[in-house]
Amino acid sequence: MTARIGSILFPLVLLFSAACGRTDLSDLDTGDTIPPPPVSADGTHKIRIVGSSTVAPFATTVAERFGATTRYPTPIVETTGTGGGFKTFCQKIGPDRPSISDASRMITESEQALCAENGITEITALSVGFDGIVLANARQAPTLDLTKEEVFLALAAHIPDGQGGFRPNPYKNWSEISPDLPDEPIMVLGPPPTSGTRDAFTELGMEQGALALPELVELKQADPAAFRLRTHTIRTDGAWIDLGENDTAIIQSLIKTPTAVGVLGYSFLEQNGDRVKAAHLDGVPVTFEAIASGEYGLSRSMYIYVKNQNIPLVPGLTEFVQEFVSDRAMGPDGYLLEKGLIPLPDELRIAEQEVARQLETRVARE
């Protein structure tokens, strides 16, 4: 597979019933709509995009501009989560299949293998900017200042028992972890396992937080696989509630439940700053500058993955990719900044633009 990975910055709804024990509310109202057919009125195949809920607002904005200012139909953007996006993207080549997969993490080896099994052997990855994962609560709720260690202790399924082993997480209230935290139930609304945001949260947040505990440091040295299992397994006793791939649903739930905390992308915080606010992490506030510099500890890169073999089959695909990485879209003064995008440094942005141009050149040669 020929895959170019873009540069990276750094290598509740509702009160729930404890009796029912349900922690996955992803089938509730998420605001998702049925996508339009992949063919326009004149028979032209539309660009189909699937994947990350974090990247989707940016992709949608570019798609709307592209449809309004070019001769090509507006691309279809479907929010499936990063994992769900790759699963669909890797199924088949064809004009009615996804040509782009949005992602808030890099593609995994198993996802690349799935693509290869289905004949998808030419993929180009482009970095389109940075984002931060935030822990947010309602504006009227107390301002939180959390450490990564406290995040791990609040959400890990098992924590050290002080005797060389592990025990099921006993913490019910934030104040049980630290007297500096509110005496409120631990209730965190977040994305499901298919989400790249969740993957990044466990890797950048919980895994790093676990390394503040000597027992987990020893486990990582002795058994890296067991360490990963301990640090990436989120509790399922109701303290964490899966709320689907729609960050807007998390925002609405935080407003209804001020004691809850939500895990979502910085772009959604920016768009809803009058209703929710973000916790500080290890003393660092969530700001545009802190994410861009990497000072904020939950900073990540965002990507689009292009199915090169669809380029001759879907009109406008290379033009759309070039629009996405253009200065007018993702540059320092681009229109995506209004949506919360943290732009790439100039050198990296220029490099991604060159990759997009090479797509068109190569297809022309073929």
Side-chain angles (χ1 to χ4, degrees), residues 142 144 172-176 178-186 259:
L144 296 174
K172 302 300 181 185
N173 286 8
W174 289 103
S175 59
E176 295 172 14
S178 169
D180 296 329
L181 296 176
D183 187 19
E184 298 287 354
I186 299 171
T259 57

Side-chain angles (χ1 to χ4, degrees), residues 3 67 99 114 151 161 218 223 241 246 264 272 274 284 298 304 309 314-315 349:
S99 295
L114 175 63
V151 171
D161 62 6
E218 293 176 6
D223 191 341
I241 302 174
N246 191 328
L264 61 152
N272 295 276
D274 58 331
V284 178
L298 288 175
I304 58 173
Q309 289 149 292
V314 182
R349 188 178 68 259

